Amino acid sequence: MTDTYTALENELPTVSPTTLITCGSPQVVVSCPYCGSQHRHLGLGLRRSPCGHWYFVKAAGRQS
């Protein structure tokens, strides 16, 4: 079996998260640059939003 890689067509927007502490684990909350809603994720990095768009979640002050 061979994995197929599909390149994204456009450069992805980068969004800065706010940390949300829950009883289970920390999550990050971002304002979606596409639909304007608040989306929660379990971590940083490349994420797909519930509205179906991709963006990069990056904490302020971090360099990669």
Side-chain angles (χ1 to χ4, degrees), residues 16-31 38-44 57 59:
S16 296
T18 300
T19 303
L20 172 67
I21 305 297
T22 65
C23 62
S25 62
Q27 298 180 7
V28 293
V29 179
V30 299
S31 274
Q38 301 288 310
H39 299 310
R40 295 192 304 178
H41 299 285
L42 297 176
L44 304 174
V57 180

Side-chain angles (χ1 to χ4, degrees), residues 3-63:
D3 291 331
T4 302
Y5 173 76
T6 303
L8 299 171
E9 295 179 11
N10 299 323
E11 188 172 322
L12 296 175
T14 300
V15 293
S16 296
T18 300
T19 303
L20 172 67
I21 305 297
T22 65
C23 62
S25 62
Q27 298 180 7
V28 293
V29 179
V30 299
S31 274
C32 181
Y34 298 101
C35 73
S37 295
Q38 301 288 310
H39 299 310
R40 295 192 304 178
H41 299 285
L42 297 176
L44 304 174
L46 181 62
R47 298 288 179 234
R48 184 174 185 183
S49 68
C51 64
H53 295 282
W54 291 92
Y55 47 74
F56 192 80
V57 180
K58 183 177 178 183
R62 280 199 164 175
Q63 294 186 10

